[in-house]
């Protein structure tokens, strides 16, 4: 079979894959080449799509032996797609964007995630557009242990569609603190006030964000809250150092995304306990 025939087959069938961007084109092209090598008839089209953040290819043959070979190839590329950014084709992993699963590299993950901010006029900016002004809020509610904030304005008070914000987004606690307490139900007012009044400094990330047994900024536990800390790490400084190295490596892109967060003040004189040599040794253990 001529290479130009294979190239024509690939070019024709790339159009049959419903995917979010062109980052998987090379992946799909390699898969199509392998399908031909396995015995697929070049005259027949191949179809596929993105589903749950992974590549799905729909192909079938009545020849059982051929069908087994085809399934092995398509399964291989489904797995590879889970490690490949849909936008650029670089190294990626499964992410959640507005409740949708998608496979992205860190750069495009951050680029796709909306950032919530409050401007000098008290406008709440979301996805780079003002969605409401603080003065327009007439009612506020919190759910899931203060991890979700629902805001109502005059036109939405009698509907089930508030403006909702999650603690998984930067500046969530900045917004929660900015909403006037009297807009919350009475049983929540004291709890929200106590939260911000009693925050302690986190020795791991260096922010005043420690709420009892967890840091609201880095989500690490303070030393001693788990009986396993001493068993696993021996001493406090080793525990803090390893947590800090995990944050620096930032495999999931959390720190890169939350560099936009201004919810918590930094602790003066906070120390980073690991050295470049410590980090290299730690990476060898992980990777």
């Amino acid at each position: 079979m001529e290479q130009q025939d294979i190239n024509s087959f690939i070019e024709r069938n790339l159009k049959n894959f419903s995917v979010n961007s062109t980052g998987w084109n090379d992946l799909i092209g390699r898969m199509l080449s392998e399908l031909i090598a396995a015995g697929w008839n070049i005259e027949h089209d191949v179809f596929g799509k993105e589903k749950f953040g992974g590549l799905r290819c729909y192909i079938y043959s009545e020849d059982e032996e051929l069908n087994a070979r085809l399934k092995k190839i398509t399964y291989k590329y489904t797995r590879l797609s889970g490690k490949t950014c849909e936008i650029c084709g670089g190294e990626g992993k499964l992410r959640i964007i507005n409740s949708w699963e998608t496979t992205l590299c860190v750069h495009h993950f951050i680029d796709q995630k909306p950032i919530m901010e409050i401007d000098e006029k008290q406008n709440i900016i979301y996805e780079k557009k003002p969605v409401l002004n603080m003065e327009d809020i007439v009612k506020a509610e919190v759910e899931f242990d203060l991890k979700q904030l629902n805001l109502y304005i005059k036109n939405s008070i009698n509907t089930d569609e508030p403006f909702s914000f999650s603690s998984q987004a930067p500046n969530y606690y900045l917004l929660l603190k900015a909403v006037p307490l009297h807009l919350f139900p009475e049983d929540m007012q004291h709890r929200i006030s106590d939260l911000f009044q009693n925050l302690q400094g986190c020795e791991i990330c260096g922010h005043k964000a420690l709420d009892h047994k967890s840091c609201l900024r880095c989500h690490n536990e303070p030393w001693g809250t788990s009986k396993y800390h001493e068993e696993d790490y021996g001493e406090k400084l080793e525990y803090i150092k390893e947590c800090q190295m995990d944050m620096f490596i930032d495999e999931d892109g959390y720190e890169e995304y939350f560099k936009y967060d201004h919810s918590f003040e930094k602790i003066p004189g906070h120390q980073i306990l690991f050295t470049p040599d410590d980090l290299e040794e730690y990476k060898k253990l992980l990777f």
Side-chain angles (χ1 to χ4, degrees):
M1 186 178 299
E2 297 291 335
Q3 185 61 46
Q4 63 182 24
D5 294 329
I6 296 174
N7 292 342
S8 178
F9 170 79
I10 292 172
E11 184 177 350
R12 183 179 83 240
N13 282 277
L14 277 174
K15 300 173 183 177
N16 295 332
F17 282 79
S18 177
V19 295
N20 295 328
S21 190
T22 59
W24 283 350
N25 278 6
D26 180 62
L27 205 67
I28 296 170
R30 283 156 39 204
M31 180 183 68
L32 291 170
S33 293
E34 289 194 28
L35 293 175
I36 294 172
W40 181 253
N41 189 335
I42 199 170
E43 299 299 324
H44 296 165
D45 282 353
V46 179
F47 296 87
K49 67 178 182 179
E50 180 275 335
K51 186 176 182 180
F52 302 129
L55 178 66
R56 301 292 189 271
C57 179
Y58 302 105
I59 190 170
Y60 175 77
S61 170
E62 293 183 356
D63 182 329
E64 291 187 5
E65 291 186 6
L66 173 59
N67 206 43
R69 294 197 297 270
L70 300 177
K71 283 186 177 180
K72 186 175 181 179
I73 293 168
T74 57
Y75 178 66
K76 168 187 171 182
Y77 281 91
T78 293
R79 288 186 290 108
L80 287 174
S81 70
K83 304 176 183 179
T84 306
C85 177
E86 298 178 41
I87 295 178
C88 69
E91 183 179 349
K93 66 189 305 180
L94 189 67
R95 319 276 187 180
I96 306 296
I97 305 289
N98 293 332
S99 300
W100 289 94
E101 292 178 312
T102 181
T103 302
L104 299 170
C105 64
V106 170
H107 172 75
H108 285 110
F109 168 61
I110 295 164
D111 189 55
Q112 296 284 310
K113 289 281 279 185
I115 303 294
M116 185 275 294
E117 297 177 296
I118 305 173
D119 69 12
E120 67 280 358
K121 296 181 180 179
Q122 294 298 288
N123 290 310
I124 299 173
I125 310 296
Y126 199 65
E127 296 184 327
K128 300 180 181 180
K129 296 182 293 186
V131 293
L132 73 156
N133 188 277
M134 297 289 284
E135 294 183 0
D136 296 329
I137 302 171
V138 294
K139 178 184 174 183
E141 296 174 336
V142 282
E143 298 180 293
F144 309 117
D145 196 26
L146 305 186
K147 298 295 192 296
Q148 179 173 310
L149 174 64
N150 299 324
L151 301 177
Y152 296 83
I153 60 175
K154 291 179 182 178
N155 294 335
S156 68
I157 191 65
N158 295 318
T159 74
D160 295 325
E161 298 181 1
F163 294 93
S164 293
F165 302 90
S166 167
S167 63
Q168 296 179 3
N171 295 321
Y172 171 79
Y173 289 99
L174 186 70
L175 175 60
L176 180 61
K177 188 176 183 180
V179 176
L181 275 176
H182 72 270
L183 296 176
F184 292 94
E186 286 189 19
D187 62 331
M188 286 291 108
Q189 292 178 19
H190 182 68
R191 189 174 175 195
I192 294 169
S193 178
D194 273 358
L195 171 70
F196 292 108
Q197 288 180 13
N198 296 316
L199 288 176
Q200 301 295 313
C202 175
E203 294 179 282
I204 296 169
C205 71
H207 290 83
K208 190 177 179 181
L210 190 60
D211 176 37
H212 300 296
K213 295 184 178 182
S214 179
C215 176
L216 300 178
R217 173 59 179 76
C218 69
H219 304 295
N220 284 298
E221 299 175 322
W223 169 260
T225 54
S226 170
K227 63 180 181 180
Y228 300 109
H229 285 174
E230 193 165 340
E231 292 179 21
D232 294 342
Y233 299 94
E235 58 182 43
K236 178 179 178 179
L237 293 183
E238 284 302 312
Y239 171 71
I240 294 174
K241 182 168 75 173
E242 185 164 315
C243 290
Q244 288 179 342
M245 288 191 291
D246 283 331
M247 289 174 58
F248 185 86
I249 293 171
D250 194 22
E251 190 177 359
D252 293 323
Y254 175 86
E255 285 299 315
E256 185 68 21
Y257 180 43
F258 266 76
K259 70 182 181 182
Y260 301 99
D261 185 79
H262 305 291
S263 297
F264 308 106
E265 61 184 272
K266 291 186 177 181
I267 304 170
H270 173 252
Q271 292 185 331
I272 300 297
L273 300 183
F274 65 88
T275 66
D277 289 340
D278 291 330
L279 189 63
E280 288 305 312
E281 289 300 314
Y282 187 57
K283 285 180 179 179
K284 291 177 183 177
L285 294 175
L286 290 180
F287 308 115

